[in-house]
Amino acid sequence: GTLFKIRLPLTLAIIRCLLVRFRHGIFSIPFDKVREIVSVSLYEIHTVHNHQPIDVRGEFISLSSMTNIFEWNQLIAQSPDSKNKPKNLNVVILQSGEKTLGISVDELLGRDDIVLKSLSDNYASVRGLSGASVMGDGAICLMLDTNEILEMSLENLGSAL
C-alpha cells in the first residue's frame, strides 16, 4: 500500500547533447541537430564575399563561429600564441530541414544527457540560446537553439553581402 508521487516541473527537459567548448564556456547542441563533425585545415578555408565556405565531400557549407553569430564581450577575446595556434578547426555541422551550417568550436567534449532549464523563466530570453544546465562539476552549460542559430547566421551572411 505504498504510494509514490514524483512531481517534475514542466519547465525541465532531458536532452541528449553534444558538448563543446568555445573560449571559456561550455555549450550544448541537441544531438538530433548535429549532422556530423569534421576537422578542417586552416589552409582549406578561404573568404568569398565576406563568408567562408568549407568543402565537405563535395558540398560547400558556410562556416561560422560563435563570435560571428553572437555579440560577445571583446574583453573575453584573447589572441592565441602563434606557436600554439591549431592547424585544424573542429567544425560541428548543424542541419535543420534544408538549412546547413558549420560552426567552429575550440574543443569537443563528448555527448551527454543534460537536464535543460529554460532561461526565460528566471532571466531574459536570449536569442540563439534555448536554455541552461548545471554540469556535474558545477559549470554552467548553455544550450544553443539551432534553428535560431541558423537564422542568425543567414541574417549575418545577408548583411555582409
Side-chain angles (χ1 to χ4, degrees), residues 119-121 123-129:
L119 287 175
S120 60
D121 290 347
Y123 306 103
S125 180
V126 179
R127 187 173 183 213
L129 299 176

Side-chain angles (χ1 to χ4, degrees), residues 108-157:
L108 300 166
L109 301 175
R111 70 176 189 170
D112 200 359
D113 293 332
I114 64 169
V115 177
L116 185 66
K117 178 75 174 156
S118 172
L119 287 175
S120 60
D121 290 347
N122 298 314
Y123 306 103
S125 180
V126 179
R127 187 173 183 213
L129 299 176
S130 61
S133 181
V134 179
M135 306 303 291
D137 62 356
I140 302 295
C141 173
L142 298 172
M143 176 169 279
L144 299 179
D145 181 346
T146 53
N147 292 330
E148 197 65 33
I149 293 291
L150 288 163
E151 289 297 321
M152 292 166 69
S153 68
L154 289 175
E155 289 172 9
N156 290 343
L157 180 61

Side-chain angles (χ1 to χ4, degrees), residues 29 33-34 92-96 99-101 103 146 149:
I29 303 169
K33 300 294 183 180
V34 176
V92 177
I93 308 292
L94 303 177
Q95 178 100 35
S96 181
K99 298 175 187 171
T100 306
L101 176 70
I103 294 183
T146 53
I149 293 291

